[in-house]
Amino acid sequence: MIILELSFGDEPDRLAARPAHRERLQALHQEGRLVMAGPFADDSGAMLIFDVPDAEAFAAIVAEDPYYRTPGVTIASQREWSPIVR
């Protein structure tokens, strides 16, 4: 699994791009590639947990979604994660 942490700025482009991004997230969730995702309570960013076979598959997901390159959206961190309880 890979955990992606996003940081948000105040740019209006982010909010305009969010509906399409959320549609993509729903599709990834239905495909089983996204476990869960959501914004932090203060809307300063978000956390997404992906269940992908490797870093290449994760990179493709990020590359396909323009939201991650939208002004106001910064990838703060991405880490591989090995949960012991699912």
Side-chain angles (χ1 to χ4, degrees):
M1 290 191 172
I2 296 182
I3 296 177
L4 179 67
E5 182 181 354
L6 301 178
S7 176
F8 297 151
D10 293 331
E11 290 84 347
D13 292 350
R14 179 181 71 86
L15 295 178
R18 189 168 63 181
H21 170 66
R22 287 185 173 178
E23 284 183 29
R24 286 183 179 89
L25 294 181
Q26 287 297 328
L28 290 169
H29 182 68
Q30 290 175 356
E31 295 167 7
R33 297 190 292 164
L34 177 67
V35 177
M36 63 178 57
F40 297 123
D42 64 359
D43 204 34
S44 64
M47 184 76 62
L48 302 92
I49 301 174
F50 294 91
D51 190 355
V52 292
D54 52 38
E56 243 178 45
F58 172 74
I61 289 170
V62 171
E64 292 167 1
D65 189 343
Y67 186 75
Y68 300 113
R69 296 177 301 283
T70 299
V73 177
T74 302
I75 295 177
S77 71
Q78 66 182 57
R79 300 179 71 171
E80 286 189 42
W81 182 47
S82 301
I84 57 171
V85 177
R86 288 180 110 178

